[in-house]
Amino acid sequence: MALRALDNTMPAAVEERPKKVAKVAAPAAAAAVKAASPGSGKKKKNDENSAPRATAAAGEQAMEYIPSEELEAAAHPKAKAAGLVAELDSKDWIRACEALNDARRLTIHHSALLNPILEKVMLAIVKTMKSPRSAVLKTSIMACTDIFNSFGNILSSVSDAAFDKLLLQLLLKASQDKRFVCEEAEKAMRAMAASMPPLLLLKKLKAYVHHANLRVRAKAAVAISHCAARMDIAAMKEFGMSALLQVAAELLNDRLPEAREAARSVVGSMHGAFAKEAAAKGKEEEEAPSVAASWESLCSLSLPPISAQAVAKIAATQSQ
């Protein structure tokens, strides 16, 4: 029997079988190589070494809005006026913005050239006011402000239909949630109320007292209050004292505080003009009724009892 040597040596190592490599590794590596290759057609994500691409939104943010007082005269005004309507209708929003600024330049510095094409320009501006581009929208509203300041006294006579469309868009834009659009539209409406004949504008705004949109009603009410503040008693009588009182009384019950406050302003303007005329009559007629009695009589004849009482109370409070 053979004996094993006691030399504390380990037995010879048994040769191990090679391990199999997982088959999923190769496709994963290939996918990584394919993604890294420039011609693969796939974009690399989160590449901190690549410059960001310019987007349309970034371009709109970089758009410069030029105040009216900083707009210079056009270099070639006749050529600009000849191609203005076509440029305003451009599908390129940058060209449309440039055309709107050209319209503003012509309005401020070359109004005689714009006057013959004013109706077409107004309709083109109405179209740009429906643009989804914020830059086009704001610039178009700025153009409205300049047009009101230059052509407000003749605007409605140029084109009644074009003005109606423009007025609707302004009321809608003034009712938006976007603050910068709303503020610009309100500015344009103040210019409209300050430049246009108040009686003519009041007749246009009366239809919006019953508009389904609460905010449109409120913005129309504010414009009505601006018109009433500019009207004398003769203009109010031409519109109709009873009709104007009914408009104010209806707005006093509106759901929005802005509309109710505007209605109170209308009542104050009416009472002021009415009191001025009554005071003048009192000097000529010794037995003329008092201003308060005449005002209450007008309210009771024009309005339901509850509305008449509310309107009379507002006038009494404001006259104190």
Side-chain angles (χ1 to χ4, degrees):
M1 181 177 178
L3 297 176
R4 180 170 62 87
L6 300 175
D7 53 0
N8 294 328
T9 59
M10 295 296 294
V14 179
E15 184 178 356
E16 296 182 359
R17 297 178 62 185
K19 294 182 179 180
K20 292 184 178 179
V21 181
K23 292 183 179 181
V24 294
V33 172
K34 185 176 181 181
S37 61
S40 62
K42 295 184 179 180
K43 297 180 181 179
K44 294 174 67 178
K45 297 181 180 180
N46 301 327
D47 188 355
E48 62 183 7
N49 295 320
S50 61
R53 293 187 177 183
T55 61
E60 291 189 58
Q61 291 176 358
M63 191 73 186
E64 183 180 3
Y65 302 107
I66 308 173
S68 301
E69 57 273 11
E70 295 181 10
L71 279 170
E72 299 179 354
H76 305 285
K78 291 184 179 180
K80 290 292 185 183
L84 182 60
V85 176
E87 287 295 309
L88 287 170
D89 198 37
S90 174
K91 303 297 182 182
D92 185 344
W93 68 271
I94 296 178
R95 285 180 61 188
C97 284
E98 292 174 352
L100 286 165
N101 281 326
D102 287 338
R104 297 175 64 203
R105 291 186 180 93
L106 292 171
T107 300
I108 297 170
H109 300 288
H110 315 281
S111 58
L113 293 174
L114 193 65
N115 197 3
I117 59 170
L118 186 56
E119 180 181 1
K120 294 180 180 179
V121 170
M122 288 170 62
L123 291 172
I125 289 176
V126 168
K127 187 175 180 180
T128 61
M129 292 176 74
K130 300 176 184 178
S131 172
R133 295 285 186 187
S134 299
V136 177
L137 178 53
K138 181 169 180 176
T139 310
S140 66
I141 299 174
M142 294 174 76
C144 291
T145 303
D146 294 327
I147 287 176
F148 287 134
N149 289 332
S150 296
F151 298 101
N153 58 333
I154 64 167
L155 200 57
S156 183
S157 61
V158 170
S159 174
D160 203 48
F163 175 74
D164 289 344
K165 293 178 181 179
L166 189 67
L167 177 59
L168 174 59
Q169 288 303 314
L170 275 178
L171 288 169
L172 291 173
K173 298 305 178 283
S175 307
Q176 277 197 3
D177 292 328
K178 292 182 179 179
R179 185 176 177 181
F180 77 98
V181 173
C182 180
E183 290 178 349
E184 201 63 46
E186 288 176 345
K187 180 181 177 181
M189 292 191 65
R190 287 194 296 270
M192 175 186 69
S195 61
M196 292 188 66
L199 178 59
L200 187 150
L201 182 58
L202 184 58
K203 291 177 180 179
K204 296 287 186 182
L205 291 166
K206 182 184 176 182
Y208 293 98
V209 174
H210 307 284
H211 200 276
N213 189 316
L214 292 175
R215 294 184 180 181
V216 169
R217 287 205 305 266
K219 300 304 178 183
V222 172
I224 288 172
S225 70
H226 291 159
C227 291
R230 295 180 58 214
M231 296 171 73
D232 56 14
I233 191 66
M236 290 181 182
K237 285 183 176 180
E238 186 176 350
F239 180 82
M241 294 292 286
S242 296
L244 192 53
L245 272 177
Q246 290 164 8
V247 168
E250 186 168 350
L251 291 171
L252 281 173
N253 297 320
D254 199 89
R255 289 167 57 186
L256 290 184
E258 188 178 14
R260 297 196 297 271
E261 184 61 32
R264 284 189 282 269
S265 176
V266 172
V267 172
S269 298
M270 291 187 67
H271 183 263
F274 184 86
K276 186 177 180 180
E277 184 193 43
K281 285 184 177 180
K283 292 180 181 179
E284 298 175 358
E285 304 174 9
E286 294 181 358
E287 297 181 358
S290 65
V291 175
S294 300
W295 177 255
E296 289 178 4
S297 176
L298 175 64
C299 293
S300 61
L301 290 173
S302 306
L303 303 170
I306 297 178
S307 298
Q309 185 178 3
V311 170
K313 183 178 180 181
I314 291 172
T317 303
Q318 292 181 348
S319 60
Q320 289 177 356

